[in-house]
Amino acid sequence: MGFDTLLGNERLKENLENSLKKGHISHFYLISGPKGSGKHTLARLLAAAALCESEDKPCLTCHSCRKVMAGVHPDFITVDDPEKKTVPVDLIRSAREDMFILPNEGKRKIYLFPRGQDMGIPGQNALLKVLEEPPAYGVFLLLTDNPEKLLPTIRSRGVALAMGNLPEPVLRKALQEAHPEASSDSVAAAITRSGGFLGQAMELLSGDSEQSPQTQGFLDSFSRGDNLGLLQVLSPMERWKREQLIEELEQWQTLLGEALLEKSGMPGIHSHTAVTQCSAEKINRGIARLKKAVQYAQGNVSVGAVCGWLLWELG
């Protein structure tokens, strides 16, 4: 089975399989590519290969492979705090110290850093210290959407694996299998808008298939210029939790952005007919106001104040 579960990237997979057959596993892999390009899938497969008990790695059937793929192997450790914008340097230092404790079950100990681009200079320097002299059993998997945000000394230490986009037939087949309810036009639009990356196409197709009542009310009121309708949508939201409000406003911002692209001639994935009848100036203004509202909410402005400001600005 090996790397078959990773779509496309045939040359990359062939090179990895040849290296594994020779028993070569690097202590550091730098996996790069945009969101939805398969970085996490490849990282998990590499971790399974590093801990696999079979001759053909990764077999995905042995005890170790199954634990890695299920995310429960004690020697496969993720170093991140998704709540923080920047990966805390203390987490990286802690992982560096933990690396010198022998593996629990396997022959290797694998550390996954899923947000390489969000590691500050102190964090990268902390990681660099262990990359320079890692223990023999240590393996580091560093994921990033932009290798240029990493120090040259980091980039030069390991094997660079750049994820490629998928051929259109492969992408179309995967999307049709995952979303049999989607129309051929929606699938084609998702392929065009995703740049050939499956994760992004999946997210686009899933986007607003089930809109909340607030979202539908906002789109209707915004497109009609209905201030009373906006008031009826935003007033109850003043009692929402901050995280819930931010998520909703970000969705509105995304939907207006999609409508603007559709208005400019880009194929649409979901129907935004009412909004696309608005002027581009109005849609752009709405996007800017929503973006500012999200910034206010993230900056600890009260939820009620954010909703009131947004009603004033959109009215």
Side-chain angles (χ1 to χ4, degrees), residues 174-236:
L175 292 174
Q176 289 174 337
E177 290 176 351
H179 291 276
E181 78 289 349
S183 68
S184 58
D185 287 344
S186 293
V187 170
I191 292 172
T192 300
R193 297 264 296 277
S194 69
F197 295 106
L198 180 60
Q200 293 188 30
M202 289 284 196
E203 186 173 336
L204 287 166
L205 278 181
S206 301
D208 62 347
S209 56
E210 294 184 8
Q211 291 178 356
S212 69
Q214 291 79 16
T215 294
Q216 190 59 58
F218 165 74
L219 293 175
D220 291 343
S221 301
F222 177 84
S223 61
R224 297 197 308 268
D226 181 0
N227 292 347
L228 178 58
L230 286 172
L231 175 64
Q232 292 172 336
V233 170
L234 287 166
S235 290

Side-chain angles (χ1 to χ4, degrees), residues 208-280:
D208 62 347
S209 56
E210 294 184 8
Q211 291 178 356
S212 69
Q214 291 79 16
T215 294
Q216 190 59 58
F218 165 74
L219 293 175
D220 291 343
S221 301
F222 177 84
S223 61
R224 297 197 308 268
D226 181 0
N227 292 347
L228 178 58
L230 286 172
L231 175 64
Q232 292 172 336
V233 170
L234 287 166
S235 290
M237 293 171 63
E238 293 180 353
R239 297 187 292 273
W240 283 16
K241 292 182 178 180
R242 186 181 307 277
E243 294 75 15
Q244 184 183 9
L245 177 69
I246 291 172
E247 183 178 358
E248 189 77 11
L249 296 184
E250 287 179 336
Q251 183 183 18
W252 295 358
Q253 185 180 337
T254 298
L255 292 175
L256 289 189
E258 289 183 357
L260 188 63
L261 287 173
E262 190 174 343
K263 187 176 182 67
S264 68
M266 182 75 73
I269 296 171
H270 303 286
S271 176
H272 301 100
T273 305
V275 181
T276 54
Q277 292 176 354
C278 299
S279 68

